[in-house]
Structures are given as structure tokens and as C-alpha cells.
Amino acid sequence: MAQHVLVTGGAGYIGSHACKVLAREGFVPITFDNLITGWKDAVKFGPFEQGDLLDQSRLNEVFATYEPVAVMHFAALSQVGEATKEPALYWRNNVLGTLNLIEAAVTSGCLNFVFSSTCATYGDQDGVTLDENSAQHPENAYGASKRAIEDMLKDFESSHGLRHVVFRYFNVAGADPDGEVGEHHRPETHLIPVMLDAIDGKRDGLTVFGDDYETRDGTCIRDYVHVMDLIDAHVAGLRWLLDGNPSEVFNLGTGNGFSVMEVIRHSATVTNREVPYEIGPRRAGDCVKLVSGSDKARQKLGWSPDRSTMDQMIADAWRWHQNGSYRE
Ligand code: UDP
């Protein structure tokens, strides 16, 4: 019988891509999502259970119904700007919500856990590239909430045997090349979709958040990874746990840093359009540079992020932007 995997946030951007790939790989993805930032239309590849991580009894019910072999935990608030203004939201939804989820998992005997963490747990480190052993000094409540969950996972491994793979994502971009699912946030804050909105006139223009950083062109540098490559790593991480391997932490980034201005130039080339933009002030909570300095996922999981060229990510995002959407 096909194995069930509980996918929290399965109606969101990354979770919906995970469900697609899990189903293709022979698993049954069970989406658990409160639809606050997710989309019902994005749930296409397995059963849907609407619910909130703050509702412990609902979580217990879903674990009892499906008896999943593993959890892939994507559901979270993830906006740096919002986190800086409203830290309580992040501590409640991300940390308390995950505590409920972990308790429900261990109570039901589900002891394999794949967790989406973030490079924001590292914070700014004088422009060095970051590997899994780098110190974690998050600059904002989003990164702090994810680091707290990483600590929580270690405690539940010691006490209850909850084995886990933690993926610290760099910047996720692109979309399913088949166009079945894609990135759709309301409001949209992420650089590439905001830029595509600006290119086709859905918003007035893009504001570049600061051009006076200590970087090659003054704008912030990020390491972008294609969402399909990111999910390939998650499936490899799931198999890693199901094969009985120990808990691990992996960075998911390519090691190539792009400044905001470089992303703008690639977008103009790929879409063959002008990118209307203006330079604005810095955004509170932003790190100057976040670039992965590690090949650990490549070495241990055999991960190969072949779609993660900037042009491919923009091309796939642009195709989705023009042809795909969810009902609001
Ligand atoms: N950014 C920008 N204008 C925008 C959105 C983002 O200049 O409208 C910059 C942001 O300051 C950061 C980079 O683009 O340097 C990526 O930001 P995003 O919000 O996409 O992801 P984050 O790195 O915050 O997770």
C-alpha cells in the first residue's frame, strides 16, 4: 500500500510542489493547511484536510486517520518584513504550531520529520558563505522562530526518537514546469514574482530595497534555488529517513549569489521586457548577503540542482505568471 506523508502547508507555494512530486514518486501526500495563505486550487495530488496547527485535537485526528510514515512540515509564516513588525505572530504560528504538530506526530508514533528551515537562521556573517556548521544568529523573528524549531526537533529526538532532516533554504524561486502549480502569495512580497508583476503592469513598479550595502553593486545578495530542485532534495531527505539514516541538517542553495540588480537584468533578458524599478530605502530585517557555502546535500543525498539557473527559474516563474493562477 502506498505510504502516506502528511504535508503541512500543502496548499502553499513550496508544499504544493512537494505534493506533486511525492505523488509522482508513489507516496500519498495528505495536505494539512488552514488556507490562510494557501489555495484550495493548489491541492491536486492527494487528500485535503483543512485545519490549523494551533488546533491540537484536529492534528491528532488527522494523524489517527492517515497514520502517515512521515511529516513534511512547510506550513509557516515566512515574511521578514511582517516578522519584524509582528513577532508574536511568528512565535505563535511557527513555534507553538510546530510544537503541537511534533506532539501529535510522536504521540501517534510517526517519527520521521522533514522540516523546512531557512538560511535566515544564520543571519549576517560579514559576507562569508554559510555552511551547516556556521553559527546561527538570526536577524529577525522569522529566522528566530525557525531556529527555535530546530532546537525543538533535537529535544524530541532525544526524548522520543523523532528523527529529522532539516533543510535550510536559501531563496526559493521558479515554478512547476508543467504549470500545474506555482507561486501565488497575497500580498506578494518576494523579489521575482513582484518583479514579474511590475513587468506586466500588475503593479506600478519594483522598489529595490537599498543600494548602499557593502556588495558589488550596493544591493543585497541572495542564493536562489528552483522549487523543483528543492523538492527533489526533500524526497531524497524523506527516503534518507525511511532508510533508517540519522538526523541531518542540509543547506539548500547552489552557492551562486545574485544581487537584486543582477536578478533585474536577468528578468529583463528572459522576458524581453523592461523592468520598471526605483531605488528605495533598506527593508528592516534584511541580511546583506546569504549564500550557501556547502555541497553537503549534493554529497550525502546525491542532490543535483540542475534547474536552478537564474534564467530557468525566471522562465518557469514567468510561464506560470502568464498562464496559471488560483481562484481567490
Ligand atoms: N527585494 C527588493 N524589493 C522587493 C522584494 C525584495 O529589493 O520588492 C529584495 C530584498 O531586500 C532581498 C531580496 O530582494 O534582498 C530577496 O527578498 P525576498 O523578499 O524575495 O526574500 P528574502 O531574502 O527576504 O527571504
Side-chain angles (χ1 to χ4, degrees), residues 11-223:
Y13 169 39
I14 300 172
S16 60
H17 288 76
C19 289
K20 172 166 174 145
V21 176
L22 284 168
R24 195 176 65 201
E25 295 289 316
F27 296 95
V28 178
I30 316 298
T31 290
F32 185 87
D33 200 298
N34 61 12
L35 295 185
I36 288 179
T37 55
W39 306 97
K40 181 104 197 317
D41 280 0
V43 184
K44 300 180 171 181
F45 311 101
F48 176 48
E49 293 288 342
Q50 188 163 354
D52 197 293
L53 295 175
L54 297 174
D55 183 348
Q56 184 80 65
S57 60
R58 181 81 182 106
L59 277 168
N60 292 338
E61 191 179 283
V62 170
F63 275 96
T65 304
Y66 294 98
E67 300 180 340
V69 292
V71 177
M72 276 194 190
H73 179 33
F74 299 98
L77 297 175
S78 61
Q79 289 174 28
V80 169
E82 180 184 62
T84 306
K85 291 189 196 109
E86 302 261 14
L89 280 179
Y90 282 69
W91 285 93
R92 188 174 302 109
N93 282 283
N94 293 0
V95 180
L96 196 52
T98 303
L99 176 60
N100 290 341
L101 175 67
I102 289 177
E103 282 200 288
V106 297
T107 305
S108 79
C110 175
L111 297 176
N112 300 302
F113 201 96
V114 179
F115 175 55
S116 51
S117 188
T118 169
C119 62
T121 59
Y122 295 119
D124 266 328
Q125 312 221 352
D126 291 333
V128 295
T129 53
L130 301 159
D131 69 30
E132 291 81 355
N133 297 318
S134 298
Q136 291 175 290
H137 301 297
E139 305 281 321
N140 52 60
Y142 167 57
S145 71
K146 293 282 186 169
R147 187 186 60 177
I149 295 166
E150 291 190 15
D151 288 342
M152 198 190 290
L153 286 167
K154 285 184 213 148
D155 285 345
F156 277 81
E157 171 154 42
S158 305
S159 58
H160 293 83
L162 181 72
R163 279 177 317 115
H164 50 275
V165 167
V166 168
F167 288 116
R168 295 187 187 137
Y169 306 170
F170 286 69
N171 286 58
V172 187
D176 168 22
D178 305 332
E180 286 190 285
V181 282
E183 185 168 15
H184 191 82
H185 295 114
R186 284 290 173 267
E188 187 54 77
T189 63
H190 293 294
L191 178 62
I192 291 175
V194 165
M195 186 164 357
L196 299 181
D197 277 346
I199 286 174
D200 74 0
K202 289 193 183 132
R203 67 170 68 214
D204 287 344
L206 168 76
T207 302
V208 175
F209 295 143
D211 70 347
D212 56 353
Y213 287 97
E214 291 279 306
T215 61
R216 48 186 175 258
D217 61 18
T219 62
C220 292
I221 293 179
R222 296 287 182 273
D223 179 338

